[in-house]
Amino acid sequence: MRAQAAKRGSPFLNTEQAAAWLKVSAKLLKRMRRRAEGPHFRRHGRVVRYHIDDLTAWSDASGQHGE
């Protein structure tokens, strides 16, 4: 539902928006980006953007399976 609402506007989020969407801190998201551990991102000049679909795919792939 959140992804659909975001797609009505721009599907690209800045670091703070992406962190809020994932419910993590922007600092953690930046750290993961430096370590190449987080979701796929794009650079538009100096600006970093995350696509909603990439955030969803990364979140789904990094989910915990059973216990």
Side-chain angles (χ1 to χ4, degrees):
M1 187 164 123
R2 288 185 298 173
Q4 292 302 324
K7 284 183 180 181
R8 282 194 288 266
S10 173
F12 291 97
L13 305 177
N14 64 30
T15 301
E16 289 73 21
Q17 292 167 327
W21 195 87
L22 291 170
K23 296 191 182 335
V24 300
S25 71
K27 185 176 179 178
L28 175 62
L29 194 54
K30 289 175 187 177
R31 188 176 328 128
M32 288 191 298
R33 186 171 67 225
R34 282 193 306 269
R35 295 177 180 173
E37 297 173 348
H40 179 76
F41 65 93
R42 295 159 172 86
R43 285 198 186 271
H44 298 252
R46 296 172 126 196
V47 179
V48 172
R49 295 287 183 226
Y50 293 87
H51 194 280
I52 289 284
D53 292 340
D54 294 331
L55 296 175
T56 301
W58 179 80
S59 179
D60 290 346
S62 64
Q64 303 234 346
H65 300 283
E67 260 197 29

